[in-house]
Amino acid sequence: MDRAKNRAWVRGVAAATAAAALALTLTACGGDGGGKKPDDKTSTPAAASGGKSQSQSNAPSTQNNEVLATVTGGDGIEIVVNSAKRDTGGFVTVEGVVANNSSQGFTAPGWQGSEQELRDNGASMAGASLVDKTGKKRYLILRDTDGRCLCTRFPTGLTAGQKIPFYAQFPAPPANVTDVDFQLPTMPTATIKISG
């Protein structure tokens, strides 16, 4: 009888230990913020509905060599848009590279936009938008419940000669809309084509 109780107790302890180890593993592997939070910027629609944002180091990195558009602003700042993809969650992700071709540091003044909620994003792509000229509609950057943009942030700015991959997420225009204008304060407008 004691032997049977002892076996049951050992089985119970083993099961509890296995459950705790599984829970710890799942928590460490990613639950809340490891993937897609821009230092709080998020690149998943889950973040827009309350998840966390993604940090600059975790931002999508553009490996696409295709160039949809290139715009050059004052002070030697250049934006190359490599992709604009429609995702299954009902959003569009724009990716590319920001280059500081000047001899001075750049802190993206004005790029966070004029919306009060987005000003706390600091140096970032938070002021970006997509414009459907045919449908006469503007799509503002997605954000999480804390007002953090689902976009790249530049917490230390860009040093002279530095290039940084960027991403920005927006609500998706209707499926029949493929050409939109990518706008960012202080920079020229770029017409890009949405794929996917």
Side-chain angles (χ1 to χ4, degrees), residues 16-157:
T17 302
L22 179 59
L24 180 60
T25 300
L26 291 175
T27 300
C29 286
D32 82 308
K36 313 263 176 205
K37 171 158 186 160
D39 179 26
D40 290 50
K41 57 192 137 200
T42 316
S43 76
T44 64
S49 51
K52 299 194 176 188
S53 303
Q54 162 181 71
S55 80
Q56 181 177 338
S57 60
N58 291 334
S61 71
T62 304
Q63 310 241 330
N64 186 350
N65 290 327
E66 181 180 4
V67 175
L68 300 183
T70 301
V71 295
T72 303
D75 303 324
I77 302 305
E78 180 180 75
I79 296 177
V80 176
V81 178
N82 298 110
S83 68
K85 292 184 180 173
R86 194 180 296 271
D87 296 307
T88 56
F91 61 99
V92 169
T93 301
V94 176
E95 293 183 314
V97 176
V98 177
N100 179 0
N101 297 321
S102 76
S103 59
Q104 299 180 351
F106 177 72
T107 58
W111 283 18
Q112 75 273 20
S114 58
E115 278 186 75
Q116 186 63 42
E117 180 181 48
L118 293 174
R119 288 187 180 171
D120 288 341
N121 284 282
S124 67
M125 305 288 283
S129 62
L130 296 181
V131 177
D132 169 12
K133 290 189 289 190
T134 305
K136 298 181 176 15
K137 188 159 184 183
R138 178 182 300 272
Y139 298 88
L140 302 178
I141 199 94
L142 289 172
R143 61 208 70 183
D144 66 17
T145 54
D146 293 323
R148 292 176 296 217
C149 70
L150 302 191
C151 68
T152 298
R153 297 168 69 179
F154 312 103
T156 59

